[in-house]
Amino acid sequence: MAKKSKIAKEKKRQQTVEKYAELRRELKDKGDYEALRKLPRDSSPTRLKNRCQVTGRPRGYVRKFGMSRIALREYAHKGQLPGVKKSSW
């Protein structure tokens, strides 16, 4: 389980990216890199990190489900993920 502060910081970063998205797009189209540089660092989408929605874990993230491999396995075994079942051959 990730620290609550890490999860909260990532959410705040996501909000900052959304807030400045339009302005960043306009400045990039104009080629005004001086103004772009003056924007907050966290307004850049490259600073976002994928985190598990269940546990907040940053590693082993599966994009299709939006959760870490550990949470994915637990949910799949419980049958809580539609269309996912344990393979056997």
Side-chain angles (χ1 to χ4, degrees):
M1 190 79 172
K3 285 183 174 181
K4 297 288 183 190
S5 59
K6 289 280 189 183
I7 297 168
K9 196 171 193 177
E10 192 63 33
K11 285 182 182 175
K12 186 176 180 187
R13 212 174 267 144
Q14 178 67 42
Q15 291 170 350
T16 307
V17 167
E18 291 169 4
K19 179 180 175 183
Y20 286 97
E22 187 62 35
L23 179 60
R24 287 182 65 82
R25 195 174 303 113
E26 289 173 11
L27 291 174
K28 277 188 176 183
D29 290 341
K30 290 179 189 174
D32 189 0
Y33 297 107
E34 280 297 317
L36 254 177
R37 205 171 57 183
K38 291 178 181 175
L39 291 176
R41 279 188 170 186
D42 284 343
S43 68
S44 173
T46 57
R47 290 178 64 96
L48 292 175
K49 178 83 173 138
N50 291 328
R51 284 190 173 268
C52 175
Q53 294 174 354
V54 179
T55 60
R57 190 175 202 275
R59 294 182 174 193
Y61 182 81
V62 181
R63 282 179 186 245
K64 184 175 181 180
F65 298 100
M67 53 179 52
S68 69
R69 60 185 173 79
I70 299 166
L72 174 72
R73 189 167 190 263
E74 288 174 6
Y75 276 59
H77 281 306
K78 292 177 187 174
Q80 294 178 339
L81 293 176
V84 177
K85 76 176 197 183
K86 191 175 184 292
S87 65
S88 61
W89 61 92

